[in-house]
């Protein structure tokens, strides 16, 4: 299964934020939307970074609650690893495991085209495995 298939099912909308927003504002967005990360974009929609709940927890652990007033740009990961729609779901899963993160922005023609989380990957991989098992069971039953 490809990333494009997951995006076709879950949609391409990505919650983004601007680099000058505060950690406090992003924490509220994460809680409200029930998500774990936002992609940080520039005026032209270009990907500037990613900020996950881990970055906020790390900032608070390091500097206390006053750091929640810091801009996103100070705590985001600026070197974002992205994937393309043609990539396989297993490939994305391997990249996430290798880098130890749970979010992968999908980029098409230099633009943000979606976001895949570890939850999406596991959900679709389990469905895929279940379908393979079902096909095998049917094959064995009719053989
Ligand atoms: P996560 O496991 O996705 O909550 O993120 C763990 C750490 O990796 C945080 O510091 C994130 O900013 C960073 N991170 C998350 N996704 C990516 C990505 N696709 N590329 C680079 N860094 C990421």
């Amino acid at each position: 299964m490809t990333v494009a298939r997951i995006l076709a099912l879950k949609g391409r909308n990505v919650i983004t934020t601007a680099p000058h927003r505060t950690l406090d504002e992003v924490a509220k967005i994460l809680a409200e939307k029930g998500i774990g990360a936002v992609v940080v974009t520039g005026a032209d929609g270009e990907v500037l970074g990613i900020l996950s709940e881990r970055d906020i927890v790390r900032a608070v652990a390091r500097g206390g609650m006053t750091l929640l007033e810091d801009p996103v740009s100070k705590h985001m990961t600026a070197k974002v690893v992205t994937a393309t729609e043609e990539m396989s779901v297993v490939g994305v899963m391997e990249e996430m495991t290798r880098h130890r993160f749970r979010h992968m922005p999908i980029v098409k023609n230099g633009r943000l085209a979606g976001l895949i989380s570890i939850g999406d990957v596991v959900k679709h991989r389990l469905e895929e495995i279940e379908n393979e098992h079902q096909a095998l069971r049917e094959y064995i039953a009719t053989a």
Side-chain angles (χ1 to χ4, degrees), residues 50 52 54-55 58 77 79-81 101-105:
I50 187 162
S52 95
R54 291 236 170 123
D55 299 311
R58 204 179 291 140
T77 302
K79 202 163 178 274
V80 185
V81 179
F101 54 57
R102 299 165 295 176
H103 300 89
M104 187 74 99

Side-chain angles (χ1 to χ4, degrees), residues 7-140:
L7 291 181
L9 294 167
K10 78 165 259 194
R12 293 170 174 277
N13 187 37
V14 184
I15 309 290
T16 61
T17 194
H20 65 273
R21 294 284 176 199
T22 63
L23 294 193
D24 186 52
E25 285 175 306
V26 172
K28 289 192 173 94
I29 293 171
L30 297 182
E32 197 180 292
K33 306 278 183 192
I35 56 173
V38 290
V39 177
V40 186
T41 51
D44 294 326
E46 71 276 23
V47 176
L48 299 176
I50 187 162
L51 187 96
S52 95
E53 52 200 358
R54 291 236 170 123
D55 299 311
I56 298 176
V57 168
R58 204 179 291 140
V60 170
R62 201 186 296 140
M65 299 296 268
T66 52
L67 285 199
L68 289 175
E69 294 309 315
D70 278 358
V72 162
S73 56
K74 210 168 159 187
H75 298 278
M76 69 184 190
T77 302
K79 202 163 178 274
V80 185
V81 179
T82 59
T84 60
E85 294 188 55
E86 295 74 35
M87 208 162 155
S88 73
V89 173
V90 172
V92 170
M93 206 190 286
E94 283 168 359
E95 281 291 282
M96 284 179 171
T97 308
R98 195 159 68 85
H99 294 284
R100 295 173 185 271
F101 54 57
R102 299 165 295 176
H103 300 89
M104 187 74 99
I106 309 305
V107 170
K108 188 178 184 177
N109 301 326
R111 293 236 161 269
L112 192 58
L115 184 131
I116 302 279
S117 75
I118 192 76
D120 298 323
V121 168
V122 170
K123 178 175 181 280
H124 290 282
R125 188 66 192 125
L126 284 179
E127 280 172 13
E128 204 172 38
I129 291 168
E130 184 48 44
N131 289 341
E132 283 164 13
H133 283 184
Q134 183 60 31
L136 272 177
R137 276 195 291 270
E138 284 169 14
Y139 175 75
I140 291 164

